[in-house]
């Protein structure tokens, strides 16, 4: 698959490279979930013709000695040395590179950097010592990448960690936006329908390698995509569970229970708390802020952070699918009853995917960059609910959207009634110009366009 999007991240990396070429050193940390495209971004964004490019993958299941040997070979090849370089340790290798970078600009990339915690735990202290001693005398672009978000954050954001705050840039690489996902799909299958794009969004989570797996295999229907997930040779679902295991390590039980409950519809914070004897506030905090697997949803216009009105959603659509349909039925899958589960998923998918369609549009509106707040709203009694509200405080405009799979079932008059109720409860928006929109699967089709920022500027 060709390289898509990532203009912002590419620009940032190129800017760091230019700084190094002009005489400085830069330390960049790149993180994001597994298979989201971090390595591809580095290789595509940086210009290897401008400076030697040393790329080293840290192998978790390989000994420190072997990792050092591999790194030595990489250094020899990247710097075109006349004789093989053989380091005795990572410190020797780093010192060699740092000394070389005093004479010429060099890019050094460590992929899956968090694996040093297993391979060579002293590496973080070694790197901190050498970086502090040499950074002002060399031209080095140091990029470290890691897919275990919690581990990367602990390395660089824990005040007691050796590398705390050493980075100049911290980049989080998200999955593809809905707009970009549609563009990619159109390149492979111009005449897809909205149902299929929604299926691609749900069953890949917008993760680059999962998208590539589906599209390169020529799977262009929702039914085909679901069938592809059940194919024993497909690693998408096992990758999802592997990512969770890497994040949670040995403390997975409570986290799995919370994610399972949220996927089943227990989204209210107050309701989640009743399912546990222990206080899970810390678990919720870490799932949201450390692991980035859930996000809180609060009604637009809510003030003072009223915790009793907070709802949670799983941010990863593929994990949401897995916890809804497959995780509760692991015993059946292990017993070889995947055909029955496959049929049950096909039957339930259309109705179940309605909530994912709402999240699809919310993420799309957020990506437009022309709104100061994007969210949804419900009243205290749960009698009125608006699927999407987008607020532009600068132009004093507010957009109310009703989202349904079938456009024919959307009643804009009812939406206006609910919007009136919203404004009565939030009078600050009374002077805002209101816009009402229908959003459905129609706009997701290959021959249609998603709402653009320009469509809200008139």
């Amino acid at each position: 698959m060709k390289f898509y999007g990532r203009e912002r991240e590419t620009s940032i990396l190129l800017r760091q490279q230019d700084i190094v070429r002009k005489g400085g050193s830069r330390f960049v940390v790149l993180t994001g979930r597994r298979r989201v495209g971090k390595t591809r971004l580095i290789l595509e964004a940086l210009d290897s013709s401008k400076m030697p490019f040393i790329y080293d993958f840290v192998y978790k299941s390989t000994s420190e000695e072997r990792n050092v040997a591999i790194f030595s070979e990489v250094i020899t090849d990247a710097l075109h040395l006349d004789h093989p370089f053989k380091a005795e340790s990572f410190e020797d290798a780093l010192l060699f590179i740092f000394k070389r970078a005093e004479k010429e600009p060099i890019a050094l990339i460590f992929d899956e950097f968090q694996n040093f915690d297993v391979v060579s735990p002293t590496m973080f202290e070694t790197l901190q010592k050498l970086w502090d001693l040499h950074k002002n005398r060399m031209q080095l672009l140091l990029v470290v990448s890691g897919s275990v978000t919690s581990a990367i954050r602990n390395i660089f954001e824990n005040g007691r960690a050796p590398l705390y705050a050493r980075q100049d840039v911290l980049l989080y690489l998200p999955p593809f936006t809905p707009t970009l996902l549609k563009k990619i799909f159109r390149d492979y299958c111009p005449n897809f329908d909205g149902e299929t794009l929604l299926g691609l969004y749900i069953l890949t989570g917008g993760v680059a390698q999962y998208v590539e797996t589906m599209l390169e295999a020529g799977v262009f229907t929702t039914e085909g995509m679901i069938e592809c997930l059940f194919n024993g040779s497909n690693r998408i679902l096992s990758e999802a569970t592997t990512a969770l295991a890497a994040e949670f390590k040995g403390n997975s039980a409570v986290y799995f229970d919370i994610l399972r409950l949220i996927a089943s519809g227990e989204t209210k914070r107050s309701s989640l708390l009743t399912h546990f004897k222990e206080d899970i506030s810390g678990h919720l905090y870490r799932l949201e802020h450390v692991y980035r697997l859930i996000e809180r949803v609060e009604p637009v216009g809510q003030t003072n952070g009223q915790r009793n009105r907070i709802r949670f959603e799983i941010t990863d659509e593929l994990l949401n699918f897995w916890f809804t349909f497959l995780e509760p039925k692991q015993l059946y899958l292990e017993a070889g009853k995947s055909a029955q589960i496959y049929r049950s998923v096909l039957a339930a998918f259309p109705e179940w995917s309605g909530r994912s369609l709402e999240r699809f549009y919310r993420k799309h509106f957020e990506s437009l960059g022309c709104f100061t707040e994007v969210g949804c709203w419900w009243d205290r009694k749960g009698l009125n609910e608006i699927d999407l509200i987008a607020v532009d405080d600068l132009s004093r405009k507010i957009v109310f959207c009703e989202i349904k799979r079938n456009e024919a079932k959307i009643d804009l008059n009812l939406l206006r009634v609910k919007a009136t109720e919203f404004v009565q409860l939030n009078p600050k928006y009374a002077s805002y110009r209101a816009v009402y929109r229908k959003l459905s699967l129609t706009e997701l089709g290959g021959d249609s366009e998603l709402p653009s920022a320009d469509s809200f500027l008139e």
Side-chain angles (χ1 to χ4, degrees):
M1 187 169 77
K2 74 177 187 181
F3 187 65
Y4 286 93
R6 310 308 196 191
E7 290 85 3
R8 171 182 169 271
E9 293 84 3
T10 297
S11 175
I12 291 173
L13 288 175
L14 283 174
R15 194 179 313 133
Q16 308 315 304
Q17 189 174 34
D18 287 341
I19 292 172
V20 170
R21 291 181 64 226
K22 292 175 182 177
S25 291
R26 304 293 284 177
F27 194 150
V28 178
V29 178
L30 175 64
T31 187
R33 63 156 299 164
R34 288 168 64 93
R35 314 303 182 192
V36 80
K38 300 182 296 299
T39 303
R40 180 78 182 274
L41 168 66
I42 294 170
L43 299 177
E44 293 281 353
L46 297 179
D47 188 347
S48 59
S49 68
K50 294 182 178 179
M51 60 181 67
F53 197 86
I54 304 172
Y55 171 86
D56 183 58
F57 186 94
V58 184
Y59 294 93
K60 185 176 182 179
S61 58
T62 302
S63 69
E64 179 175 4
E65 291 76 14
R66 180 57 186 151
N67 268 284
V68 171
I70 294 171
F71 190 27
S72 298
E73 294 170 4
V74 168
I75 293 170
T76 300
D77 292 340
L79 298 181
H80 306 292
L81 301 179
D82 294 332
H83 304 286
F85 172 72
K86 294 183 179 180
E88 295 295 324
S89 65
F90 280 111
E91 182 168 2
D92 287 345
L94 285 176
L95 190 57
F96 178 83
I97 294 170
F98 285 15
K99 287 289 187 181
R100 182 92 175 206
E102 293 179 6
K103 302 174 183 178
E104 64 174 325
I106 294 175
L108 171 60
I109 295 90
F110 284 117
D111 206 343
E112 296 301 343
F113 181 71
Q114 77 283 342
N115 287 346
F116 276 120
D117 193 33
V118 174
V119 172
S120 179
T122 60
M123 175 62 167
F124 304 135
E125 294 178 358
T126 299
L127 180 56
Q128 175 253 314
K129 176 185 69 176
L130 295 179
W131 179 260
D132 289 350
L133 285 173
H134 294 271
K135 66 176 180 180
N136 294 325
R137 301 201 300 267
M138 60 183 179
Q139 293 174 267
L140 183 71
L141 174 59
L142 175 58
V143 181
V144 302
S145 172
S147 59
V148 183
T149 306
S150 57
I152 291 294
R153 292 186 63 140
N154 187 57
I155 293 169
F156 293 99
E157 298 182 18
N158 182 342
R160 297 186 298 275
L163 290 173
Y164 170 69
R166 288 308 192 279
Q167 75 277 6
D168 298 295
V169 175
L170 176 60
L171 274 177
Y172 174 77
L173 190 65
F176 291 141
T177 64
T179 303
L180 183 54
L181 189 62
K182 183 172 183 178
K183 178 181 184 298
I184 296 169
F185 200 5
R186 190 177 275 156
D187 284 351
Y188 282 82
C189 178
N191 300 317
F192 62 88
D193 59 21
E195 177 82 52
T196 311
L197 179 62
L198 180 61
L200 183 67
Y201 171 71
I202 293 171
L203 299 173
T204 66
V207 174
Q209 188 162 328
Y210 303 163
V211 173
E212 182 177 8
T213 297
M214 291 290 190
L215 299 184
E216 293 288 344
V219 182
F220 302 140
T221 66
T222 303
E223 182 175 345
M225 291 175 192
I226 296 174
E227 183 178 6
C228 186
L229 289 183
F230 280 85
N231 185 336
S233 63
N234 192 305
R235 297 187 302 164
I236 293 180
L237 288 180
S238 61
E239 283 285 343
T241 53
T242 299
L244 287 181
E247 290 285 5
F248 298 151
K249 297 183 179 178
N251 304 311
S252 61
V254 175
Y255 293 119
F256 267 66
D257 287 342
I258 293 171
L259 292 170
R260 188 183 304 114
L261 285 166
I262 293 174
S264 70
E266 291 279 11
T267 59
K268 294 182 180 179
R269 186 182 191 279
S270 56
S271 178
L272 284 170
L273 295 176
T274 64
H275 288 271
F276 300 88
K277 293 181 180 179
E278 62 182 298
D279 184 5
I280 61 167
S281 298
H283 294 81
L284 289 171
Y285 177 87
R286 287 186 288 276
L287 281 171
E288 180 181 5
H289 298 286
V290 178
Y291 303 123
R292 302 190 186 205
L293 291 175
I294 65 173
E295 62 183 358
R296 66 178 58 205
V297 181
E298 302 178 15
V300 172
Q302 174 171 290
T303 58
N304 301 324
Q306 297 164 308
R307 301 175 83 186
N308 62 327
R309 300 192 70 195
I310 292 174
R311 297 177 181 177
F312 287 103
E313 291 180 343
I314 297 176
T315 56
D316 186 302
E317 293 296 333
L318 178 58
L319 282 182
N320 194 33
F321 172 86
W322 186 77
F323 272 104
T324 300
F325 293 108
L326 303 182
E327 193 275 340
K329 297 183 173 114
Q330 283 299 299
L331 293 177
Y332 294 93
L333 288 171
E334 292 168 5
K337 298 181 179 180
S338 59
Q340 295 95 312
I341 298 175
Y342 167 65
R343 288 193 294 270
S344 68
V345 170
L346 282 182
F349 194 83
E351 182 176 354
W352 173 83
S353 63
R355 285 293 183 185
S356 294
L357 181 62
E358 293 176 17
R359 289 191 290 272
F360 179 100
Y361 274 116
R362 286 212 305 269
K363 289 188 181 299
H364 171 65
F365 272 63
E366 289 168 358
S367 71
L368 293 178
C370 60
F371 296 106
T372 49
E373 183 176 8
V374 176
C376 50
W377 175 80
W378 60 93
D379 62 18
R380 293 180 181 277
K381 296 181 180 180
L383 300 176
N384 290 299
E385 185 168 348
I386 299 176
D387 297 328
L388 190 155
I389 298 177
V391 180
D392 180 3
D393 288 318
L394 297 178
S395 65
R396 302 181 69 80
K397 181 184 298 181
I398 185 166
V399 183
F400 297 99
C401 302
E402 182 76 9
I403 303 171
K404 290 189 184 300
R405 290 167 51 87
N406 186 348
E407 182 181 355
K409 294 183 178 181
I410 298 176
D411 185 346
L412 281 186
N413 290 326
L414 179 58
L415 177 61
R416 289 187 173 91
V417 171
K418 291 190 286 187
T420 299
E421 178 73 14
F422 167 82
V423 172
Q424 289 176 350
L425 294 171
N426 298 275
K428 65 170 284 188
Y429 298 113
S431 62
Y432 282 40
R433 184 166 71 87
V435 177
Y436 303 92
R437 294 290 295 267
K438 297 179 180 181
L439 298 173
S440 66
L441 288 176
T442 301
E443 292 83 354
L444 272 61
D447 57 354
S448 301
E449 297 297 333
L450 293 168
S452 65
D454 290 342
S455 66
F456 297 103
L457 295 178
E458 70 280 358

